[in-house]
Amino acid sequence: MNLLGAGILKGMAVTLKNFIGSYFDKERLNTLEYMWQNDKSLPKRAGDYPKEEGEQLRPTTTVTNYSRNFPMLLHDDGEPMDTIRCVACQICERECPPQCIYIEKSDDKKERPGGKPQFYPATFDIDVSVCMSCQICVEVCPFDAIVMNSQFELSTPDRFNGLLLKRGDLLKSNQYYHKIHPEEAADRDKRIADDKAAKEAKKKAAEAAKEAKKKAAEAKAKSEAEANSKEESKDPSEPPQTSTEHNKEENTE
Amino acid sequence: MGPHHPSTHGVFRMDVKLDGETVVDLKPVFGYLHRNHEKIAENISYLASMPFTDRLDYFNSMTNNWAYAIAAEKLVEIEVPERAEYLRVIMAELTRLVNHISLVGFFVNDLGALGTPLLYAFREREKILDLFEQASGARMMCNYLRFGGLRCDVPEGWLKRARDLVDRFPKFLDEYEQLLCENEIILSRTQGVGTLSRDLAISAGVTGPMLRASGVNYDIRKVDQYGIYNRFKFRVPYSENNVGDCYDRFMIRMLEMRESIEILKQALDGIEEGPVMGNAGKVFKPKPAEAYGRIESPKGELGFYLVADGTPKPYRFRVRPPSFINLTVLRDMCIGQQVADAVIILGSIDIVLGEVDR
Amino acid sequence: MSQPIDHEAIIQRFSGSEWDDKFCALIVPLSEATALAKWLRDDNDFLLDYCSNVTGIDYLDREIKEKVENEEGKMETVTRIDPSRIEVVYHLYSMEKHTGPFTIKQLTERNNPEVQSLTPIWRSCELQEREIFDLFGVNFIAHPDQRRILMWDEFEGHPMRKDYVEPFDYEWEPTPHDEILDKHQRGKVIV
C-alpha cells in the first residue's frame, strides 16, 4: 500500500499538466472551436448575426463543409422559378419520416431551359420545427432538386409561421450550394453531367440503332422488292423493270 | 428521488424506501420520455425508421443504425460490400470510445468529481464527433448506415484523420487512468459497492460491460461474429471474480477502450477502396418473415426484432434496448447500500433514457 | 457462429407444443410453459440460460392470399382467414454454450389475453413482460410485480394494439404542421 493520497496527488499532476499544457497545446483546449476569434466579431444584438447567404461560414463557426441542417431547393443559373429543379413529384413528401414537407403541384407546366415543360411546386413548405435533418428527402429525390443547407441562424419571434419555410425561403442557387458544400456539390454535378451524357449517349445509340434499323428495313425492303421483281419477272404479262431500263439505256445509246 | 436530478442521466425517478441512510427497497419509475417509437416505426417505411433509431440511444447513433441494418439485412438477404463492412466496424468502435469515455466522465461526476474528468472526456469526444460530422453530416444523429451499405463514402483524408486520432487516443487514456484509477476516493467509494453476482447477471439478461464485470465471458462480437469481426484480433476483458462491483464496471470500460483501439488500428490498416453500397433495390419490401438481429452496442446487446408482412412497412418493430433490461437488477444492487451509493450504482449501469423509455 | 437448436426432442417431451416451421418458433401452450422453460434452462443439452428479448405481436383477423398447389398440380390462389391473436415471443440464447437464438411463442386470444409469466425462470422477463402488459394488455399469470411501466397508471387502453385509436389531445393547439398531417391522413399522399 502506497502512501495514502498518492493517487490523488497523481491525479492532480494530470490536471496541472492539462492546465499548463493548454497554453501551449491546442489539443488540450476544451472549447477552442467555439471561440470567436476576436471580440469585434461578436454580435451585439440578436439581429446582428450574419444573415447573408454563406456569410456565416467563417472559420470561427462550427459549420464545416460536411454539416447539414435543413433542406433547401436548388435552382440553376437564371431566375429561380424558371430554373427550379423540383418537378413536384412528391416523393420526398411521402418518404419524409416526420412528415414535415407539404407540396402542392402546379396546374400548368412551365418551360425549362434545355428540357421539356414540367410541373413545378405551387406550394413547397417545410416545417423546420418538425424536420429532423435526416436527409432522407435528399436521398430519394430523383431530380437532385433538394439538398441540405447548413444555415443554422433560423431563430424567429414567431414559433409557428416563422418556422414554416416557404418555397421562396427554400430556393437557393446551385452556386450557393457549391459555396457551402463544395465537394458534395462537385460530386453531384459530376453525376448529373455523367447521367446526362449517358442519357445522350443512349439516345444517340438509340438513334443510331433506329437509323441502322431503318437502313436494315430499307435494305430488306429493297431485297424484298428485288425478290418480288424477280418473281414478277417470271410473270409474262409485265416485262421486268430492269430489262426495260436496260432497254431504255440501249435505246438512248 | 427524481425525476429531475443531475445524477439520473435524464428524467428518471427512483422510489426509495429508507432506513436512515440505508436503502431498504427501491423501485425505478420511468416512461417520461416515452414516445412509442415502435408504433411510429410500424406506420412508416423501413428506411424512414433509420433516423428514428438515432434517437434511441443518442450517444451511439452509429451502433443503433447498425443493429437495425443487420436485422433488416436478415429479412432480405443483401450483401454488404467490403469497404462498407470495414467502415461500419470503424464507426462502431469509435462510437464505443465515445460512449465509454463519456460514461466514465459521468460516472465520476456522480461521485462528486464535478467537471474536470468529464470535461477532459468531452474534449476527446468532440474530436470523434468531428469525424462523425465529416463522414455523415451530423455530430450525433448520424443516420449514416443503410440496408446493404452506407449512405455515402467518407470524404478524402478522413481515414488519415481517423488514424491520427486513434494514434493519439492511448496517450489520453494513459493520462485519464493516471487521473482516476488510483484515486483513493474513487477506490473507497466504488469497491464493494453495488455487487452483482454472476448467476443473477445471467438470469436477469444483463449484457455488455456490466455482464463482463460480473465474470461472464460473453461478447456478441465474438459469439455472433457479425459483420467482419472474425477478422480482427482482440481480447474481451472480463472480471476474474464471480461478483462485480462498481469499480469493476468502471475498469472494464477503460480496458474495452484499449481493445477498441486495437480493432480500429487493424480496421484502418485493412480497409481498401471500393463501393460502399450493395445492390439493394430502391424499394425495400421484404416477403413475410421474422428476423432478430443483435449487436454488441457499447451498453450491451442491442437487438431489433422485425416482422414483415409483405408491405413496405414493418408489421412489428421491436427494439431490445440494453439499458432498459440492465435496469432489472438496479433494485438488487441497491438494497443495503447508502443513498449516495444508489446514485453511483445507477451511473455504473450506464443508462440513456432515450433508449429506456423509447 | 450460432448453430440451430434441435426442436424434436422438446416436442417429444412436451406433446402440447408445436413447431412452426415457417417462422422457426416453438409454440407453447399455457399449461406447459413454465415446465418447458425450466427444462430448457436447466437441461444440459440446451442450457438456454439467457432470455434476450420478450415482445408481443398483435394480429387482427385478416385474409391471407396464398398460392397452393391443388389436386391437379396447378398453382391456385386460396384465401384463408388468419385468426386474430396476440403472440408473446421469447428469444432465448445460451451464454454457456454460445447457441441461439431459439424462439418460443405463447399464443393467446385478443379479448382476454392471458399467458404464463416466465419471470420466475428468467429475471430478464420482468420489465419486458411489464411492458407487454402495459402496451398490449396481456395478463401474465404469476408475474411478481405487474404494473404499467412506460405509460402512467391512469392511462386507458393499450397503445401497441393494432386497433388502438388515439384519444383527442387536450394540449393540442393549431400549428402549420396540422395542414401537413391532415393531408397525410386524408390519404392525399399516396404511400
Side-chain angles (χ1 to χ4, degrees):
Chain A
M1 183 70 202
N2 292 329
L3 176 71
L4 190 71
I8 296 177
L9 287 176
K10 254 183 172 178
M12 284 167 90
V14 174
T15 51
L16 188 70
K17 207 161 125 193
N18 271 290
F19 173 67
I20 296 172
S22 66
Y23 284 96
F24 305 104
D25 186 5
K26 280 178 186 171
E27 290 282 310
R28 291 191 191 278
L29 270 177
N30 263 322
T31 52
L32 173 75
E33 284 169 282
Y34 305 103
M35 289 197 307
W36 299 77
Q37 265 180 338
N38 50 55
D39 284 337
K40 276 177 200 162
S41 62
L42 274 175
K44 296 282 180 291
R45 283 168 308 170
D48 294 346
Y49 274 99
K51 274 280 162 60
E52 270 176 56
E53 288 187 353
E55 203 201 317
Q56 58 187 286
L57 296 169
R58 297 180 205 175
T60 45
T61 55
T62 57
V63 176
T64 67
N65 288 343
Y66 309 100
S67 81
R68 58 171 200 249
N69 204 13
F70 292 120
M72 61 181 180
L73 289 172
L74 278 188
H75 68 81
D76 295 317
D77 306 332
E79 273 298 299
M81 273 318 289
D82 290 343
T83 54
I84 183 171
R85 288 187 187 170
C86 179
V87 299
C89 67
Q90 298 178 321
I91 291 178
C92 50
E93 185 182 28
R94 191 166 72 214
E95 290 289 334
C96 177
Q99 306 180 339
C100 68
I101 305 178
Y102 181 80
I103 304 175
E104 260 171 33
K105 208 177 190 169
S106 61
D107 297 330
D108 57 322
K109 286 189 176 182
K110 204 173 234 183
E111 286 287 335
R112 295 292 158 90
K116 281 180 274 181
Q118 295 276 15
F119 289 109
Y120 60 93
T123 318
F124 197 113
D125 297 345
I126 291 180
D127 191 344
V128 291
S129 62
V130 178
C131 175
M132 58 186 197
S133 318
C134 66
Q135 214 172 7
I136 297 259
C137 49
V138 180
E139 268 165 69
V140 297
C141 183
F143 302 96
D144 297 290
I146 189 165
V147 291
M148 297 310 272
N149 198 347
S150 59
Q151 187 172 4
F152 59 90
E153 296 287 355
L154 291 162
S155 54
T156 131
D158 177 8
R159 87 179 153 113
F160 293 132
N161 287 310
L163 288 175
L164 186 73
L165 297 188
K166 305 273 184 201
R167 190 182 64 191
D169 308 326
L170 292 167
L171 262 173
K172 296 278 151 71
S173 69
N174 200 19
Q175 283 138 0
Y176 172 70
Y177 180 43
H178 272 275
K179 204 167 167 187
I180 58 167
H181 297 310
E183 291 172 28
E184 195 190 302
D187 275 0
R188 196 174 286 264
D189 277 3
K190 189 167 170 284
R191 212 190 59 234
I192 295 173
D194 285 354
D195 281 359
K196 214 172 175 182
K199 227 179 210 171
E200 250 158 40
K202 213 175 166 187
K203 212 171 163 187
K204 255 181 202 164
E207 265 171 22
K210 224 177 179 179
E211 205 89 320
K213 221 176 175 183
K214 218 172 160 185
K215 268 183 190 163
E218 273 171 12
K220 207 181 169 190
K222 214 175 176 183
S223 65
E224 266 174 16
E226 271 170 20
N228 282 347
S229 63
K230 264 178 198 168
E231 268 174 29
E232 280 161 4
S233 69
K234 283 170 196 165
D235 197 340
S237 66
E238 213 177 290
Q241 217 173 358
T242 42
S243 62
T244 50
E245 270 171 15
H246 190 69
N247 289 344
K248 264 180 196 170
E249 276 168 25
E250 269 184 354
N251 289 342
T252 49
E253 276 168 14
Chain B
M1 289 168 73
H4 290 287
H5 188 274
S7 69
T8 52
H9 303 255
V11 268
F12 180 81
R13 189 156 63 92
M14 294 193 277
D15 279 354
V16 193
K17 203 186 259 179
L18 294 177
D19 178 17
E21 280 277 312
T22 315
V23 178
V24 179
D25 197 5
L26 182 142
K27 272 180 189 163
V29 182
F30 40 86
Y32 296 95
L33 281 182
H34 184 53
R35 55 202 180 271
N36 220 338
H37 167 68
E38 295 173 7
K39 189 89 176 177
I40 296 172
E42 281 165 23
N43 289 321
I44 54 178
S45 66
Y46 282 92
L47 175 63
S49 292
M50 190 60 100
F52 283 113
T53 61
D54 290 341
R55 274 95 180 147
L56 281 174
D57 178 353
Y58 38 79
F59 268 99
N60 314 325
S61 67
M62 291 284 191
T63 46
N64 295 349
N65 285 175
W66 197 4
Y68 181 44
I70 276 194
E73 280 156 13
K74 270 189 184 171
L75 274 183
V76 287
E77 273 158 28
I78 309 176
E79 282 282 309
V80 182
E82 192 89 334
R83 185 178 172 84
E85 289 278 24
Y86 270 103
L87 280 172
R88 282 179 177 194
V89 170
I90 292 170
M91 294 300 175
E93 295 307 322
L94 284 175
T95 305
R96 205 177 306 277
L97 291 181
V98 168
N99 180 72
H100 286 351
I101 199 72
S102 29
L103 178 269
V104 170
F106 278 120
F107 176 71
V108 187
N109 201 6
D110 287 350
L111 279 167
L114 293 172
T116 312
L118 183 63
L119 279 178
Y120 290 169
F122 265 54
R123 184 182 68 201
E124 298 307 308
R125 174 176 175 262
E126 280 306 314
K127 291 170 188 162
I128 300 178
L129 291 192
D130 281 348
L131 284 180
F132 284 171
E133 185 180 14
Q134 285 163 11
S136 72
R139 307 168 72 77
M140 283 173 83
M141 304 298 146
C142 298
N143 186 19
Y144 186 53
L145 271 64
R146 288 290 174 270
F147 311 136
L150 306 170
R151 188 169 59 75
C152 55
D153 205 343
V154 289
E156 241 181 84
W158 189 91
L159 290 171
K160 200 184 158 293
R161 281 189 289 261
R163 163 69 77 173
D164 284 352
L165 182 127
V166 169
D167 287 343
R168 267 189 276 114
F169 210 82
K171 201 176 133 221
F172 164 71
L173 274 184
D174 289 342
E175 222 171 62
Y176 211 57
E177 278 182 7
Q178 194 193 341
L179 176 66
L180 299 173
C181 292
E182 288 172 45
N183 190 314
E184 282 84 0
I185 303 172
I186 291 182
L187 293 178
S188 62
R189 284 294 302 278
T190 56
Q191 283 182 338
V193 171
T195 52
L196 177 66
S197 72
R198 179 194 158 97
D199 291 344
L200 180 64
I202 293 177
S203 165
V206 170
T207 42
M210 232 179 127
L211 177 76
R212 293 190 280 277
S214 292
V216 186
N217 181 6
Y218 192 78
D219 187 322
I220 299 170
R221 286 177 292 176
K222 286 277 189 202
V223 175
D224 277 9
Q225 299 195 342
Y226 59 91
I228 47 166
Y229 270 114
N230 52 356
R231 295 189 200 170
F232 302 120
K233 214 168 138 248
F234 65 101
R235 295 169 297 169
V236 178
Y238 66 99
S239 162
E240 279 186 348
N241 307 325
N242 284 341
V243 181
D245 56 19
C246 285
Y247 188 73
D248 291 339
R249 292 193 273 277
F250 161 73
M251 277 312 289
I252 289 281
R253 286 176 174 117
M254 294 299 260
L255 295 172
E256 259 185 26
M257 280 192 273
R258 303 258 178 201
E259 295 306 317
S260 286
I261 288 168
E262 285 305 308
I263 300 177
L264 276 170
K265 279 182 182 161
Q266 292 171 42
L268 287 167
D269 283 341
I271 189 165
E272 281 165 13
E273 288 293 318
V276 293
M277 194 63 196
N279 52 352
K282 273 244 163 188
V283 183
F284 189 83
K285 200 171 165 185
K287 293 190 180 74
E290 289 181 10
Y292 182 64
R294 57 172 195 164
I295 65 161
E296 177 79 27
S297 104
K299 294 195 162 56
E301 174 188 331
L302 177 67
F304 278 83
Y305 177 54
L306 298 174
V307 179
D309 66 344
T311 57
K313 298 173 183 178
Y315 188 77
R316 180 80 179 94
F317 177 99
R318 152 84 181 163
V319 192
R320 184 236 190 253
S323 45
F324 171 66
I325 290 155
N326 288 357
L327 273 177
T328 315
V329 288
L330 178 66
R331 180 176 173 273
D332 303 70
M333 293 199 299
C334 284
I335 285 181
Q337 307 284 347
Q338 307 286 308
V339 183
D341 292 339
V343 174
I344 311 166
I345 293 167
L346 183 69
S348 75
I349 294 180
D350 188 10
I351 58 167
V352 158
L353 266 295
E355 189 178 56
V356 173
D357 295 342
R358 297 192 301 301
Chain C
M1 286 299 268
S2 318
Q3 56 272 79
I5 289 167
D6 177 32
H7 54 86
E8 295 292 335
I10 309 169
I11 294 172
Q12 272 175 16
R13 197 180 160 107
F14 294 92
S15 55
S17 310
E18 271 177 61
W19 179 253
D20 181 353
D21 216 29
K22 195 177 162 202
F23 290 133
C24 295
L26 188 74
I27 295 167
V28 184
L30 188 130
S31 53
E32 279 179 356
T34 313
L36 189 144
K38 199 166 158 39
W39 185 65
L40 282 181
R41 186 190 63 180
D42 297 335
D43 190 87
N44 275 330
D45 289 346
F46 300 102
L47 280 177
L48 295 166
D49 47 7
Y50 163 45
C51 176
S52 160
N53 179 38
V54 187
T55 186
I57 312 175
D58 180 23
Y59 287 102
L60 297 173
D61 271 332
R62 54 177 185 161
E63 287 185 349
I64 293 182
K65 283 186 179 155
E66 278 184 340
K67 279 191 175 162
V68 190
E69 205 172 310
N70 63 8
E71 292 139 22
E72 293 161 20
K74 282 182 184 170
M75 295 308 274
E76 183 177 47
T77 316
V78 178
T79 314
R80 75 181 165 87
I81 296 213
D82 192 35
S84 69
R85 63 186 184 277
I86 289 182
E87 289 179 358
V88 180
V89 188
Y90 296 78
H91 286 99
L92 308 176
Y93 285 88
S94 171
M95 282 198 185
E96 206 66 46
K97 304 175 75 161
H98 289 195
T99 52
F102 185 69
T103 316
I104 61 174
K105 286 183 179 178
Q106 296 194 66
L107 268 53
T108 177
E109 57 189 11
R110 284 189 88 240
N111 293 332
N112 187 20
E114 212 172 44
V115 297
Q116 190 71 41
S117 167
L118 298 183
T119 307
I121 317 289
W122 296 289
R123 267 292 300 281
S124 58
C125 302
E126 186 182 332
L127 294 183
Q128 301 189 69
E129 284 183 346
R130 265 178 76 186
E131 187 190 322
I132 297 166
F133 166 74
D134 186 357
L135 302 180
F136 287 91
V138 178
N139 185 29
F140 286 90
I141 301 167
H143 191 281
D145 181 24
Q146 187 168 289
R147 287 176 294 131
R148 281 198 180 267
I149 184 166
L150 293 174
M151 312 304 282
W152 56 103
D153 288 339
E154 298 78 26
F155 187 81
E156 282 173 21
H158 305 289
M160 281 305 288
R161 289 214 180 184
K162 289 278 171 186
D163 53 358
Y164 174 76
V165 184
E166 236 176 287
F168 176 71
D169 184 1
Y170 52 88
E171 286 178 336
W172 177 81
E173 53 184 320
T175 68
H177 191 58
D178 293 336
E179 208 179 330
I180 303 170
L181 283 181
D182 185 49
K183 192 177 170 190
H184 277 268
Q185 254 153 25
R186 275 185 286 128
K188 268 191 84 181
V189 180
I190 310 123
V191 178

